[in-house]
Structures are given as C-alpha cells and as structure tokens.
C-alpha cells in the first residue's frame, strides 16, 4: 500500500541499549523527517534528510543517529537509550523541502525506555 | 507553538460547520499557514495550507484575513470522526530546511 509506515509501533527497551526505529515511504518523496512528541513540548524535529545520503540535525539531535542510503527508508537509531528518550516518535515525508510543501506523517512508534 | 494562539477546546454538533480560529499576528510575509490534525493515538494528518488567499479542498476550507494575522479552518459538515486535536502552525524556512512546530492546538469534540 502506498504511504508511510513505521516499525515497530511499540517498543520497550532498557537504558543503555541500542534501538533502531524504521521508517519507509512509497511516494519517492525527497524529504524525510523524524520528530518526537512529548507532553508539554509539542512536536520537535530530531533530524531531517533532503535526499539519499544527505541528512542534517534538527532541534533535538543529541543521542540520535540517522542514515538514508535509499530514498524510501530513513531509520533512526538511539545509540544508548536513556529514560529521557521515552516518547512517541513520528516519521514524516514531503515531496520537497520548501514551506509550500505539506508533510505526511507515519502512525508513530511509542518507545518506552526503562 | 508560541507564535500561534488557538482556543484549547471547542464543541460542535454532528452535521454542523466547525469553525476553528487561529491567531498568528507575528507571521512574516513568506510563511505559510498550515493546519494539521491529530486523532487520538495517530500521526498528525495534513488538512490544508495557504499563504494569502482563501483555500478549499475536499477536507476543509481555510479563510485567511487580509492582514494575515489570523485564520479560520472550516469543516463544513463535521462528523464524529472529525473529533481530534487541530493544530494551526506556520511553516518556515529555518537554516535551510522547512520546519513545523506544533503548539497545544484545539481539541474539537464533535457530538451526536
């Protein structure tokens, strides 16, 4: 099915473990984004990618690593998970990066770090 | 988003029009006004956006005042499935990338 998917949808992990959240889109959109959503902070940008092999930091990148070897995939890795990274993570994509291009969001991954 | 102001909650009867206001008095000339919504436990969903002119699509209409300091999202015939948090946001170019910032939004409750 066309769209943007995320996996896993729910994840519980322990402090210090490495975790990778997957994001896949079928539209061949150039731009992809990772956000986290927390109560009291709204939606905050972690990393974005303008194209394959081009990534850059957003507002809250510390503790996260991204890669984009293929246009359709944009995995987010927590190298050593901390409790403060407990959150709901959303992946999004847009055709291009300018302000006139809307973003389409995935269903989210709810991550709990114990 | 501290740059937009929305009422925290609104009620609407099913079948009636829902008019959701947003104040964005400090918006700059090249910033688009965007509306997204988030149904419980789902990802944000794009609704509509505009720069200066009023816009309409299959989901909603967007009315932007002439001075661009405020806008209204109109859902012409609200259904129970329109119950969600509605976010008014500004889409800016920031250090070379386009960023979305969501504030607290308006919780719209559509009742039978």
């Amino acid at each position: 099915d066309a769209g943007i998917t995320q996996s896993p949808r729910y994840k519980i992990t322990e402090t210090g473990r490495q975790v990778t959240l997957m994001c896949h889109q079928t539209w061949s959109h150039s731009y992809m984004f990772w956000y986290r959503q927390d109560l009291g902070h709204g939606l905050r940008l972690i990393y974005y990618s303008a194209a394959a092999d081009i990534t850059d930091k957003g507002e809250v990148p510390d503790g996260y690593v991204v890669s984009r070897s293929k246009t359709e995939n944009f995995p987010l890795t927590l190298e050593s998970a901390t409790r403060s990274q407990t959150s709901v993570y959303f992946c999004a994509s847009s055709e291009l990066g300018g302000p006139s291009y809307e973003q389409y969001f995935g269903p989210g991954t709810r991550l709990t770090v114990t | 988003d501290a740059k937009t102001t929305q009422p925290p909650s609104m009620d609407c009867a099913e079948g009636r029009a829902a008019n959701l206001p947003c104040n964005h008095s400090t918006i700059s000339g090249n910033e688009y006004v965007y509306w997204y919504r988030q149904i419980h436990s789902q990802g944000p969903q794009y609704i509509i956006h505009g720069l200066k002119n009023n816009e309409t699509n299959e989901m909603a209409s967007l009315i932007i005042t002439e001075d661009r300091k405020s806008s209204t999202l109109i859902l012409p015939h609200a259904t129970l499935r329109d119950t969600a948090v509605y976010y008014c946001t500004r889409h800016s170019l920031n250090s070379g990338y386009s960023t979305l910032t969501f504030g607290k939004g308006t919780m719209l409750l559509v009742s039978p």
Side-chain angles (χ1 to χ4, degrees), chain B residues 16-48:
Chain B
R16 305 296 292 266
N19 296 274
L20 290 88
C22 179
N23 181 291
H24 34 78
S25 58
T26 60
I27 195 169
S28 62
N30 63 350
E31 287 184 312
Y32 284 72
V33 177
Y34 273 76
W35 284 84
Y36 287 78
R37 72 181 183 184
Q38 190 168 20
I39 296 169
H40 182 62
S41 297
Q42 296 184 20
Q45 178 189 22
Y46 165 77
I47 301 174
I48 198 166

Side-chain angles (χ1 to χ4, degrees), chain A:
Chain A
D1 291 337
I4 184 164
T5 56
Q6 294 182 235
S7 62
R9 294 292 315 278
Y10 302 90
K11 177 74 177 178
I12 300 174
T13 191
E14 295 177 342
T15 301
R17 295 215 180 235
Q18 183 180 81
V19 177
T20 295
L21 310 184
M22 304 302 292
C23 178
H24 176 79
Q25 53 104 355
T26 61
W27 294 304
S28 298
H29 283 172
S30 294
Y31 275 72
M32 296 188 74
F33 308 83
W34 274 106
Y35 293 88
R36 59 178 290 174
Q37 187 173 36
D38 306 286
L39 282 174
H41 287 100
L43 212 62
R44 293 181 290 175
L45 182 67
I46 305 171
Y47 269 94
Y48 74 102
S49 169
D53 297 322
I54 301 175
T55 63
D56 209 344
K57 298 176 181 179
E59 182 186 353
V60 288
D62 293 343
Y64 303 95
V65 175
V66 293
S67 62
R68 194 167 175 205
S69 57
K70 293 184 179 181
T71 299
E72 61 267 29
N73 296 323
F74 191 38
L76 175 74
T77 298
L78 288 66
E79 292 187 299
S80 179
T82 65
R83 289 200 179 94
S84 65
Q85 293 177 310
T86 292
S87 185
V88 181
Y89 291 85
F90 291 104
C91 178
S93 72
S94 68
E95 185 178 353
L96 291 172
S100 63
Y101 291 92
E102 62 272 21
Q103 296 184 17
Y104 295 93
F105 286 78
T109 294
R110 186 174 295 274
L111 176 68
T112 301
V113 182
T114 61

Side-chain angles (χ1 to χ4, degrees), chain B residues 25-100:
Chain B
S25 58
T26 60
I27 195 169
S28 62
N30 63 350
E31 287 184 312
Y32 284 72
V33 177
Y34 273 76
W35 284 84
Y36 287 78
R37 72 181 183 184
Q38 190 168 20
I39 296 169
H40 182 62
S41 297
Q42 296 184 20
Q45 178 189 22
Y46 165 77
I47 301 174
I48 198 166
H49 72 283
L51 185 61
K52 295 180 182 178
N53 301 321
N54 298 337
E55 303 287 345
T56 296
N57 63 20
E58 65 279 3
M59 288 184 69
S61 294
L62 174 62
I63 308 297
I64 303 174
T65 58
E66 194 169 340
D67 62 9
R68 299 207 334 120
K69 292 184 177 182
S70 65
S71 62
T72 301
L73 177 73
I74 301 172
L75 307 178
H77 306 286
T79 70
L80 299 180
R81 286 177 295 181
D82 291 323
T83 291
V85 179
Y86 287 77
Y87 296 101
C88 167
T89 184
R90 294 147 59 156
H91 207 170
S92 311
L93 268 177
N94 187 4
S95 301
Y97 64 88
S98 208
T99 183
L100 279 175

